Amino acid sequence: MALPRYAAVTGWGHYAPEKVLTNKDLEGMVDTSDEWIRTRTGICERRVAAAHETTASMCSIAARCALESANLASLDLDLVICASTTPDTLMPATGSLIQDAIGAANAGAFDVNAACTGFVAALVMGSQFIQSGAYDRVLVVGGETLSRFVNWKDRNTCILFGDGAGAVVLEAADEECGLLSFVLGSQGSGGPLLDIKAGGAAKPASPETIAANEHYITMRGNEIFKFAVRSMVHASGEALAKANLHAEDIRMVIPHQANVRILRATQQALGIPWERVFVNVDRYGNTSAASVGIALSECAEMGTMQPGDNVLFVAFGGGLTWASAVLRWADISSIIARRGEGPYAI
Ligand SMILES: CC(C)(COP(=O)(O)OP(=O)(O)OC[C@H]1O[C@@H](n2cnc3c(N)ncnc32)[C@H](O)[C@@H]1OP(=O)(O)O)[C@@H](O)C(=O)NCCC(=O)NCCS
C-alpha cells in the first residue's frame, strides 16, 4: 500500500508595490475622511501598482521570493497555480506569464478565479496535486491589480482595495503536515452583490459599457459584510470539525483581509483570542486573491508558526464564494535537509 503523502508549505514570499495611498490621499479624491475609513474598515493605507506593474509582474516577484525561501530553483517546480480576479489578460492565463517570467520550464500553469477566496482555493487545489502523488512541488500564487478595476470616483469601493501578490511553495513530505481539512463553498445567486458587469462574454466591453462605468467593481457593502461574517464563521467551524480540532488547537488564523470589523466579529464568534488572528488590512486594504498569500508570507516571516502548529485559513468573496482550510505547519528544515534523498529527490 502506498504511504500517505502530505503537502508541506516550505517557502513563502510577497510583494507590494512601492506607492502608498493613504486615507488622507483619498480625502482629496472622494467625499470621505480618514476617520470614517479607519472606524468602518480598519484600513489606514493601501498599495497601488505603478504603470509598468501588472498582476503577473507582482506575482513573479512574490514567486521568486517564495522559491528563494524554500531554497528551490524555478526548474524544480511541477506546477504554477495563479489565483486572481484581475489577470493581465483574459488569455493567456496569468499563471503562464508567471511560469515564463520565473523560468519554470518544467511546470504546467493555469489560473483560478474565485475572487477573494482564490488563494485558499488554490492552496487546497495545489495540495491535492501533491497528496495524490501527481506532483512534488507546486507554486501557489495570488495577485491582484485591483486599482485598475476600481472606480476612483466611487467612495463605496475605492477606499477598500489595494494591489499586491503573495506566494507559497507546496512540497511533498511523508510526515504528517500540510492540509488536514478544507471547505469550499459557493452561492452563485449572490453574484450581483459584488461584480464587474462588463468585459466578459455576457457583456463585452463597448463604448456604452465604458460610459456606464460597467468595467469597474460594484458592491453592496452592507450585505457583503453580513455574508462575510456568516460564511467565515460557518466555514471555519466546519474545517475545524473535519480536522477533529477545536478553536483552542489553532495557533494562528490567517483570514482574508477585507475589514477589521469582519475579522473581529468572526474571531469573537469562533472564540479564538484576537492575538491569534493575523491582521494586516490596516497596511494593504483588501487585496482580494493576494490577501491570504501576503498575510501567510508576513506571518511566516515573523517565525510565528512552529512545526506541528495548526493554522486556520478562511476567506470569502465575490461569486459569492467562501473557503477554509486547516494546515499543520511542517518541520521545514528537516524537509529541506532530506531533499537529496528518498522518493522526492531533486
Ligand atoms: C463597505 C463598508 C465599509 C461600509 O460600512 P457600513 O458600516 O456597512 O456602512 P454603510 O454601507 O451602512 O454606509 C453608511 C453610510 O456611509 C456612507 N459611505 C460609504 N462609503 C463612504 C466613505 N468612503 N466615506 C464616507 N462615507 C461613506 C454611505 O453612503 C452611507 O451613507 P448614508 O447612510 O447617508 O446612505 C462595509 O459594509 C464593508 O466592509 N462591507 C464588506 C465589503 C467587502 O468586504 N467587500 C469585499 C468582499 S471580498
Side-chain angles (χ1 to χ4, degrees):
M1 200 176 78
L3 291 170
R5 284 165 57 101
Y6 302 95
V9 170
T10 57
W12 48 83
H14 64 278
Y15 174 78
E18 238 172 75
K19 186 180 163 47
V20 174
L21 186 72
T22 65
N23 292 349
K24 275 272 168 234
D25 296 330
L26 283 164
E27 285 182 359
M29 297 163 68
V30 287
D31 180 13
T32 192
S33 68
D34 175 45
E35 204 262 333
W36 192 97
I37 301 172
R38 274 176 201 264
T39 52
R40 298 293 177 116
T41 71
I43 300 168
C44 304
E45 58 186 46
R46 68 288 290 143
R47 302 296 182 94
V48 175
H52 68 276
E53 291 181 310
T54 68
T55 299
S57 76
M58 294 188 286
C59 284
S60 300
I61 299 172
R64 285 192 199 98
C65 295
L67 284 169
E68 196 183 322
S69 101
N71 201 17
L72 285 172
S74 53
L75 290 174
D76 298 327
L77 290 174
D78 300 316
L79 183 65
V80 173
I81 306 178
C82 172
S84 185
T85 324
T86 53
D88 280 24
T89 52
L90 285 179
M91 187 171 65
T94 300
S96 290
L97 302 177
I98 300 162
Q99 172 270 320
D100 182 51
I102 65 173
N106 300 320
F110 56 81
D111 288 2
V112 167
N113 180 352
C116 304
T117 304
F119 191 89
V120 181
L123 194 66
V124 168
M125 193 187 246
S127 301
Q128 308 296 307
F129 277 101
I130 291 177
Q131 288 172 342
S132 69
Y135 287 138
D136 291 339
R137 288 168 200 94
V138 176
L139 178 84
V140 172
V141 55
E144 301 282 8
T145 320
L146 289 156
S147 59
R148 306 217 173 112
F149 296 85
V150 154
N151 181 350
W152 290 104
K153 292 188 174 130
D154 174 14
R155 69 176 184 175
N156 290 300
T157 51
C158 76
I159 57 141
L160 295 174
F161 297 104
D163 299 336
V168 291
V169 173
L170 297 174
E171 190 163 352
D174 41 31
E175 266 153 46
E176 194 185 29
C177 64
L179 189 68
L180 302 184
S181 69
F182 66 89
V183 171
L184 298 176
S186 173
Q187 186 194 313
S189 59
L193 296 180
L194 178 59
D195 64 1
I196 298 176
K197 294 190 170 29
K203 206 174 204 189
S206 69
E208 291 74 32
T209 63
I210 291 170
N213 286 331
E214 288 178 334
H215 53 303
Y216 291 132
I217 296 169
T218 55
M219 182 187 75
R220 299 232 293 273
N222 212 274
E223 284 154 82
I224 294 284
F225 192 107
K226 286 179 246 168
F227 156 75
V229 178
R230 229 178 20 244
S231 61
M232 296 232 286
V233 171
H234 194 75
S236 299
E238 254 190 279
L240 283 173
K242 280 189 179 180
N244 242 331
L245 295 173
H246 299 99
E248 58 271 24
D249 301 319
I250 296 298
R251 171 73 187 91
M252 277 313 281
V253 183
I254 302 186
H256 170 48
Q257 310 281 319
N259 181 321
V260 80
R261 287 162 55 219
I262 292 176
L263 299 184
R264 270 277 185 201
T266 306
Q267 166 257 328
Q268 280 164 5
L270 289 175
I272 291 178
W274 183 238
E275 309 72 62
R276 296 200 173 186
V277 180
F278 189 82
V279 181
N280 64 10
V281 68
D282 51 324
R283 291 179 286 122
Y284 297 120
N286 180 345
T287 58
S288 190
S291 104
V292 172
I294 297 173
L296 168 55
S297 172
E298 286 196 335
C299 192
E301 220 168 66
M302 288 159 62
T304 314
M305 277 85 73
Q306 298 302 313
D309 281 349
N310 298 310
V311 186
L312 171 65
F313 296 87
V314 62
F316 68 94
L320 301 170
T321 53
W322 60 90
S324 61
V326 178
L327 255 79
R328 185 157 296 157
W329 204 249
D331 185 348
I332 299 169
S333 42
S334 107
I335 293 173
I336 292 179
R338 285 159 51 198
R339 253 187 210 140
E341 325 152 2
Y344 317 126
I346 295 172

